[in-house]
Amino acid sequence: MTLALDLLLAGAILVVAAWTVAARDGFAACFGFVATGLLLALAWVRLGSVDVALTEAAIGAGIGGVLLLNAAARLRGQETVDPGDVARPWQARGIAALCTAVAVALAAVLLALPVPAPGLAPAAAAALPPTGLGNPVTATLMTWRALDTLLEAVVVLLAVIGVWSLAPDAAWGGRPGPQVPPAEGPLALLARVLPPIGLVIGLHIVWAGADGPGGKFQGGAILAAMWVLAWMAGLVRPPPVGSRRLVLALVAGPAVFLMVGLAGLALAGSFLALPAGFSKPVILAIEAPLTLSIATGLALLLLGPPARAA
Amino acid sequence: MSVLADGFTLLCVGAGLVFLLAGTVGLLRFPDAASRLHALTKADGLGLGLIVLGLLPQAAGLLGALKLMAIWGLVLLAGATVGPMIARHATGGSGR
Amino acid sequence: MAEALLAAAFLALATVAAGLVRVLRGPAPADRMMAAQLLGTGGIAALLLLAAGSGGWAILDAALALAVLAAFASVAFVQAASGRSR
Amino acid sequence: MTAPYALLAAALVGLGLHGVLAHAEPLRRLLAFNLLGSGVFLVFGVVARRGAAAGLEADPVPQAIVITGLVVAFAATTLAVALLLRLHGGDPPQD
């Protein structure tokens, strides 16, 4: 039964992905992309990685899908193609041959992997109790891969700066995204009912990340989505990008993380090392501002560069 | 007791699957967008509702049961919002 | 029992896969939106049945997140597809 | 057990690479690049599953790396979309 399930799931993902690449227009391809992401979340559950499934559903298919779909709607018919970029027939054949070769080689390597593969699971399980956390993935992200997590938060910040830097000169310092008139009908209702529920669920997922699947990025994506929904219905206005409070919310998480990391240098002997016995309270103290920064950053990335003068 | 609960689960989940299937068949076979939408939103919400109902006796504790109910509520809310929006879009309205 | 629930998850997934035909074929954007909606519901149903079948109730949190974001995403899709996009 | 997903990962990498190289429209390339990324992440997922030990369902270290990767991929995609809209999206919205 489980093999049939896995084969069906993998086959469906493959078909949708192939269609996404082959679809005629970009807008339709985006639907294929979102469907692929949703099914991939199921595949991650089957692979025993519920944390990744949650991330794929929230960030890959969820806000990522919305971002690409909006872009496709705005680009419709406006995208100009450089004739030099179109593959000639002999090039197309070469590309197809190359990609097939890559896929076949990768498949051969993956199937030849020893079972059980050498891994860090025993080491991770052994190092789990001192952290006071129940979820080995969160423990990995917050302790011995903490540098990744810090830089990941910084990457979100850098992306916000990069997106903002694309603002037209006249709009610099202004509010991101277009002005949205207040919505009526079903959207106005949903934008009032869903965000409070989403807030509870988003915070629950951040909190649950200590002991089960979840975490700040997944929960932060939900919080960001709820804010963008309220914005879509014209209920809230984004602050101007020059606003001091906005900037503070964006940098609070990485700044606190960095300070704790430097404190680790003094107290526990190395950068980002956590003092033994205090891991869990320290991790929670880092996660709270980090969640605020991530949610703010993801929402601003969805809105795009400032478009109106301050 | 457990046999009774399991039987209830199987019955409800089976019925839920039938409704999900009915929604899909409607989506695939009905001739125009309005009737497809009609088939989809109702059958879908009911199908998931029956599956949730069936899984309640299996759920671990009160929190698990509450989460199951919340999931169903959210899907119904989404269906109730998006249904009319798609309908307005399909019939040439403003889409809002 | 676990086997039966996994079989039910398989059937839910098969339903989703059939609904995918509508996402792929369209023809109208409205059809794709509906199919995406069905995909969300069917995907959540499959996830719940997987959770029950494997006893991994932590999967419920993933389903919960999926339900919130599916509501958000379907609204955003309809807005974008309706041309009211920015 | 993981064989279907191993084959899927390889196929996604091939498909994504093909889309990146063969498509001329920037948005399609971006979509294909994300599919390529999904395939690479799935490779990590297969390796993580194969490395299940010590009572864990999958090796947590590759999982953590994939979570980091997904967030970084999203950030990079937003930047690419913003660039694309600035280049081809016509006038900035005035409404």
Side-chain angles (χ1 to χ4, degrees):
Chain A
M1 196 65 239
T2 53
L3 182 66
L5 188 72
D6 289 334
L7 283 175
L8 175 69
L9 188 53
I13 295 173
L14 185 59
V15 170
V16 187
W19 187 84
T20 304
V21 172
R24 245 172 300 140
D25 75 309
F27 197 70
C30 285
F31 278 98
F33 181 75
V34 173
T36 314
L38 194 98
L39 293 173
L40 273 172
L42 288 174
W44 282 106
V45 169
R46 293 292 305 148
L47 286 170
S49 311
V50 182
D51 283 279
V52 182
L54 195 51
T55 318
E56 174 68 47
I59 293 175
I63 57 175
V66 170
L67 173 84
L68 287 165
L69 217 88
N70 265 324
R74 274 181 63 180
L75 284 171
R76 232 173 186 182
Q78 296 204 37
E79 225 174 342
T80 44
V81 171
D82 185 349
D85 281 351
V86 181
R88 289 169 203 54
W90 65 268
Q91 285 174 328
R93 279 195 294 277
I95 290 169
L98 170 76
C99 296
T100 314
V102 168
V104 169
L106 188 56
V109 169
L110 280 177
L111 291 179
L113 272 182
V115 180
L120 294 166
L128 191 56
T131 63
L133 298 169
N135 180 351
V137 178
T138 305
T140 304
L141 282 170
M142 291 311 287
T143 54
W144 55 95
R145 302 296 310 178
L147 189 61
D148 284 1
T149 311
L150 171 63
L151 292 179
E152 183 182 8
V154 173
V155 163
V156 171
L157 191 60
L158 285 177
V160 171
I161 295 172
V163 168
W164 281 0
S165 70
L166 296 170
D169 281 349
W172 178 245
R175 297 175 193 276
Q179 197 153 13
V180 181
E184 287 160 13
L187 177 59
L189 176 72
L190 186 76
R192 283 185 169 82
V193 176
L194 193 61
I197 305 172
L199 188 68
V200 173
I201 293 176
L203 290 177
H204 165 73
I205 283 174
V206 175
W207 183 256
D211 291 310
K216 51 215 166 300
F217 287 97
Q218 299 87 332
I222 294 179
L223 299 180
M226 291 306 106
W227 191 85
V228 172
L229 177 65
W231 169 77
M232 274 164 44
L235 295 177
V236 293
R237 258 194 339 165
V241 300
S243 147
R244 185 160 303 211
R245 286 212 325 235
L246 184 68
V247 172
L248 200 63
L250 271 175
V251 299
V256 168
F257 206 159
L258 206 59
M259 281 191 294
V260 171
L262 290 175
L265 202 57
L267 298 175
S270 73
F271 184 57
L272 284 172
L274 299 176
F278 290 99
S279 295
K280 188 159 183 182
V282 173
I283 287 173
L284 287 178
I286 300 172
E287 293 215 317
L290 211 49
T291 305
L292 174 71
S293 294
I294 290 164
T296 313
L298 294 180
L300 288 169
L301 287 177
L302 273 177
L303 283 189
R308 287 166 286 152
Chain B
M1 185 55 209
S2 154
V3 176
L4 202 65
D6 283 4
F8 176 77
T9 298
L10 289 180
L11 196 71
C12 287
V13 167
L17 284 175
V18 170
F19 276 101
L20 276 189
L21 188 67
T24 306
V25 171
L27 187 67
L28 292 176
R29 302 293 306 165
F30 281 5
D32 60 290
S35 49
R36 286 203 281 263
L37 188 62
H38 193 67
L40 177 67
T41 46
K42 283 146 196 100
D44 235 31
L46 191 56
L48 187 68
L50 282 168
I51 289 176
V52 163
L53 188 66
L55 292 181
L56 281 181
Q58 313 284 334
L62 186 63
L63 189 61
L66 270 177
K67 281 183 194 166
L68 279 173
M69 299 292 286
I71 290 166
W72 185 41
L74 282 169
V75 169
L76 280 187
L77 185 65
T81 311
V82 178
M85 287 174 76
I86 298 179
R88 280 187 213 185
H89 171 74
T91 53
S94 66
R96 334 188 11 167
Chain C
M1 194 60 200
E3 275 291 297
L5 286 172
L6 283 179
F10 175 83
L11 287 177
L13 200 60
T15 316
V16 170
L20 278 176
V21 174
R22 226 359 125 188
V23 180
L24 306 191
R25 281 204 354 221
D31 288 309
R32 293 194 214 284
M33 290 176 224
M34 275 187 253
Q37 171 90 12
L38 172 81
L39 216 63
T41 316
I44 289 168
L47 211 50
L48 294 183
L49 291 166
L50 273 181
S54 64
W57 287 102
I59 298 173
L60 277 192
D61 280 341
L64 210 50
L66 199 59
V68 176
L69 282 160
F72 164 69
S74 15
V75 169
F77 290 174
V78 180
Q79 291 283 73
S82 306
R84 195 220 58 90
S85 53
R86 0 301 149 69
Chain D
M1 192 53 193
T2 52
Y5 299 108
L7 294 175
L8 175 66
L12 280 181
V13 168
L15 267 173
L17 190 61
H18 185 269
V20 171
L21 295 175
H23 273 299
E25 302 93 331
L27 183 71
R28 303 300 300 277
R29 285 186 174 175
L30 194 55
L31 277 172
F33 195 73
N34 271 294
L35 282 182
L36 170 58
S38 299
V40 174
F41 294 147
L42 216 47
V43 170
F44 278 78
V46 169
V47 171
R49 182 62 161 181
R50 297 259 173 105
L56 301 177
E57 272 198 75
D59 190 344
V61 178
Q63 289 186 58
I65 293 173
V66 170
I67 291 174
T68 308
L70 275 165
V71 175
V72 172
F74 172 76
T77 307
T78 54
L79 193 55
V81 163
L83 270 169
L84 216 72
L85 289 176
R86 191 82 165 93
L87 282 172
H88 300 289
D91 307 321
Q94 296 293 330
D95 56 331

